[in-house]
Amino acid sequence: VYDDTVIDTLRHLYARGSQIGVPMGESGLGKAYSDDFVGVISRWLGDSLSSSSVLEVGCGSGHLLRSLRDAGAKVSGVEPDPRCAEIMRNQGIPVATCEFEDFHADEPFDCIAHYCVLEHLPEPVEFLATQKELLAAGGRIICAVPDCTEPLQTGDISMFFHQHWSYFSGSSLA
């Protein structure tokens, strides 16, 4: 149930560095997730990847953005955790340290990507609508969310410990 106190607390925690779950990274499961998502983005953008501008929302310490930059994309990010943002800045990746609703872009993006972010937002449709306004003509929003179909069907309560507001299935995401 939406509650301003919960929203404010979560924003505070994200700004202090809450990285619950398996963030994308250089090794283990985080690397597998990242490599898979880079593949999805590459397939959708195709040959234009190397000339595309990509914004990642909720970019953690920037593993996905580094991979896309290495493939030739012009990358930038939005990340509320100042420690993660500093890691990216030290590697030459521009990043805004704020919540997405406070982000302002100077130019449109060819692609806006977010991995396991949508389910953490109380208003996912509004979040996507705001992103659409930041896209260049023909631009794409590419996102991934956990498929909660099986946990919802089996009554698995463990998924409720991940700060999710929404629990998506394929059909509810569509």
Side-chain angles (χ1 to χ4, degrees):
V1 174
Y2 183 90
D3 182 290
D4 285 330
T5 304
V6 174
I7 293 291
D8 291 342
T9 301
L10 288 173
R11 284 186 177 141
H12 177 74
L13 291 172
Y14 293 143
R16 294 199 54 183
S18 174
Q19 295 289 317
I20 288 182
V22 180
M24 288 188 267
E26 302 290 333
S27 62
L29 196 53
K31 181 169 179 15
Y33 289 159
S34 177
D35 290 348
D36 180 62
F37 199 47
V38 167
V40 168
I41 293 170
S42 297
R43 283 190 299 280
W44 275 99
L45 296 181
D47 293 336
S48 68
L49 175 61
S50 62
S51 62
S52 293
S53 58
V54 178
L55 173 70
E56 184 183 10
V57 180
C59 46
S61 59
H63 182 73
L64 178 70
L65 290 178
R66 285 190 301 279
S67 297
L68 294 171
R69 179 189 63 189
D70 292 348
K74 178 183 174 188
V75 300
S76 55
V78 177
E79 172 57 48
D81 180 347
R83 294 173 300 165
C84 286
E86 187 65 23
I87 291 169
M88 286 184 285
R89 284 191 202 102
N90 288 338
Q91 296 178 7
I93 297 174
V95 61
T97 308
C98 61
E99 294 285 336
F100 179 73
E101 65 258 15
D102 299 323
F103 174 71
H104 302 285
D106 295 329
E107 56 189 50
F109 297 94
D110 299 309
C111 176
I112 299 175
H114 43 91
Y115 185 90
C116 291
V117 170
L118 198 60
E119 67 275 12
H120 293 273
L121 304 168
E123 302 293 339
V125 173
E126 288 81 358
F127 176 71
L128 293 170
T130 302
Q131 289 178 35
K132 187 176 178 185
E133 295 172 11
L134 297 176
L135 289 175
R140 298 178 182 270
I141 298 170
I142 302 175
C143 68
V145 298
D147 182 349
C148 294
T149 303
E150 185 176 330
L152 288 171
Q153 290 173 341
T154 62
D156 179 358
I157 64 169
S158 67
M159 64 187 220
F160 293 106
F161 295 103
H162 296 283
Q163 307 164 344
H164 294 184
W165 285 99
S166 298
Y167 297 90
F168 294 103
S169 65
S171 61
S172 69
L173 181 60

